[in-house]
Amino acid sequence: MALPAPLQSFVDGPKLPKVVLGVFGLVALAVASYFFLIAPIQERIAALVQRKTQVTTEVTQARAQVAEIERFRRELAELEKKLVLLQDRLPSEKETPTLYRALSSAAEQSGLGVSLFQPREARAKDVVNEIPITLAAEGSYHQVAKFFERVAALPRVVTVNDFKMSGLGKARNSMKVDLTLATYMYKSSLAPAPARPAAPVAPKPGAPKPGAALPGSTGDRS
């Protein structure tokens, strides 16, 4: 089939125009291939790389959060164990008279002469109620130290909040001790009614010093 005259003239003509036209065609084909094929693929690859980075970051954060949750769970379990132990050491309402008797016995066994033993109104402290106990006694340094040792050995929590000592002058090793003890109950428990103040007791000359007066010993406080 014969080509049209212009096209036949181009085919039969010099090689340079045909080479230029061929190069131009290749360039045009390459440009068209880039814009219509390669560029969309590159954009897709870039989007996938960005998404992969984002997913990797989210996975890393999720793993860190899981590790943090596990740490919180372990800490919560430890706190629950400590709470159980603390509950075992805090007296209930029915146990407070027993605790008062134990404190009175500790003072008596230490050789202190107690002139005042007065539990006061409970005060709210975070998750517990604090029950202050005012104590006034006479004795020596050694007897006071023995009393503190006995208080520290009690199975229930008793702390010393205020402490004051003064010499009596009538004996070399005798002094007056004014202190405030405190025990604690959970707020879910009802605080016991404060005991009536114990009347000051003046020890007789030459007589052994009296033990701690027990508040509520004449009636059942439970």
Side-chain angles (χ1 to χ4, degrees):
M1 181 178 179
L3 296 174
L7 186 57
Q8 187 65 41
S9 176
F10 177 79
V11 171
D12 296 337
K15 292 183 178 180
L16 182 59
K18 291 185 284 186
V19 171
V20 172
L21 181 60
V23 171
F24 179 79
L26 292 175
V27 171
L29 181 61
V31 171
S33 299
Y34 176 80
F35 281 106
F36 293 102
L37 295 178
I38 299 177
I41 294 175
Q42 288 181 339
E43 290 179 0
R44 180 60 178 168
I45 292 174
L48 292 175
V49 170
Q50 183 179 3
R51 178 58 181 165
K52 178 185 177 182
T53 303
Q54 181 181 357
V55 170
T56 302
T57 303
E58 292 175 354
V59 170
T60 302
Q61 292 176 350
R63 288 177 178 174
Q65 291 174 354
V66 170
E68 194 74 3
I69 291 174
E70 292 299 325
R71 183 176 68 85
F72 286 152
R73 286 178 177 173
R74 290 193 298 269
E75 291 180 355
L76 180 60
E78 291 297 326
L79 288 176
E80 288 177 348
K81 292 180 181 179
K82 292 179 180 179
L83 181 60
V84 171
L85 294 176
L86 184 59
Q87 286 176 336
D88 292 338
R89 294 205 62 196
L90 294 182
S92 64
E93 182 185 3
K94 293 183 178 181
E95 292 174 326
T96 50
T98 303
L99 178 60
Y100 295 156
R101 283 192 289 270
L103 289 172
S104 176
S105 177
E108 181 179 359
Q109 293 174 5
S110 301
L112 292 177
V114 179
S115 57
L116 179 65
F117 187 102
Q118 179 187 358
R120 301 204 305 265
E121 188 72 26
R123 298 180 297 190
K125 293 271 187 174
D126 296 330
V127 297
V128 297
N129 288 324
E130 180 187 73
I131 306 174
I133 304 171
T134 300
L135 176 67
E138 296 178 11
S140 64
Y141 283 108
H142 180 67
Q143 290 169 334
V144 174
K146 286 179 63 178
F147 173 69
F148 286 158
E149 290 178 359
R150 293 180 183 277
V151 170
L154 291 175
R156 302 306 182 192
V157 174
V158 178
T159 61
V160 179
N161 291 351
D162 297 317
F163 179 68
K164 180 181 179 182
M165 299 180 66
S166 58
L168 291 177
K170 61 183 180 181
R172 185 174 182 180
N173 293 327
S174 182
M175 64 189 63
K176 182 180 179 182
V177 181
D178 295 296
L179 54 87
T180 301
L181 304 172
T183 188
Y184 305 87
M185 290 194 307
Y186 278 100
K187 288 183 179 179
S188 57
S189 301
L190 296 176
R196 294 181 178 179
V201 178
K204 297 180 180 180
K209 296 180 179 180
L214 177 61
S217 59
T218 58
D220 186 6
R221 291 172 57 85
S222 59

